[in-house]
Amino acid sequence: MKGFILSVLIVFGLLFKGTLLAEDTNDEDSKPFAEANIVLQLGDDDANIQARVINVANNLIKHYGGPDFVNLEIVAYGPGISLLYPDNPHAERISSLLVSDVKFIGCMNTVETITRSTGKKPDLIAATIPVKTGVAHLVERAGQGYVVIRP
């Protein structure tokens, strides 16, 4: 009887571990044909640099043959967080990238710093995926096999 109970516990343990591993996967599974995983980092408030990041994102989507073939994130931190403001001059182009399933990651450390210094929390586009530390997110993605690029 003890052997049976031990066997059942081991089977449940393996099943539970498998469930945890399945939940631990990132969004690569949502694009089974993706050939590349790329993160574009943006730490600049300059409109030309922000336009360059958007251009690079569009060019990567074209290069890989469409949004289903590339996992693409744009991580905005520091002054680059302004890309995620709703009134950003690139709002239309950002909407187009969102349709192509590009993820926009916003650094909440930056938002907290702005809030402390100005007394007002900045609004970000609704599609912003918040992370505690933008640069740490870049490091984590690099460890997951993403290529990190600073256009």
Side-chain angles (χ1 to χ4, degrees):
M1 185 66 165
K2 283 184 183 179
F4 175 75
I5 292 174
L6 184 59
S7 296
V8 170
L9 289 175
I10 289 172
V11 169
F12 278 120
L14 291 173
L15 288 173
F16 181 70
K17 183 178 179 184
T19 301
L20 288 178
L21 290 174
E23 292 174 357
D24 193 37
T25 60
N26 58 29
D27 56 354
E28 293 172 28
D29 294 335
S30 65
K31 293 187 177 184
F33 302 109
E35 299 173 22
N37 301 305
I38 302 169
V39 178
L40 304 176
Q41 64 173 314
L42 177 62
D44 299 289
D45 188 25
D46 182 289
N48 291 327
I49 294 172
Q50 291 183 358
R52 184 182 319 137
V53 169
I54 292 169
N55 290 341
V56 168
N58 279 312
N59 289 339
L60 286 166
I61 291 168
K62 288 176 189 171
H63 172 80
Y64 284 100
D68 290 337
F69 303 105
V70 60
N71 283 312
L72 191 55
E73 295 181 355
I74 296 175
V75 178
Y77 60 92
I81 200 80
S82 66
L83 179 72
L84 303 180
Y85 293 170
D87 62 349
N88 183 289
H90 305 292
E92 260 185 61
R93 296 185 72 204
I94 290 169
S95 293
S96 173
L97 287 173
L98 287 168
V99 169
S100 294
D101 201 27
V102 173
K103 295 187 177 29
F104 287 84
I105 313 296
C107 174
M108 293 302 103
N109 277 345
T110 298
V111 170
E112 291 168 11
T113 300
I114 292 170
T115 303
R116 279 193 308 275
S117 65
T118 66
K120 183 178 183 288
K121 183 177 180 180
D123 290 328
L124 302 178
I125 60 173
T128 301
I129 299 169
V131 296
K132 179 67 177 157
T133 309
V135 174
H137 183 76
L138 293 168
V139 171
E140 290 167 1
R141 284 304 204 199
Q144 295 167 348
Y146 278 66
V147 176
V148 178
I149 300 172
R150 182 177 178 113

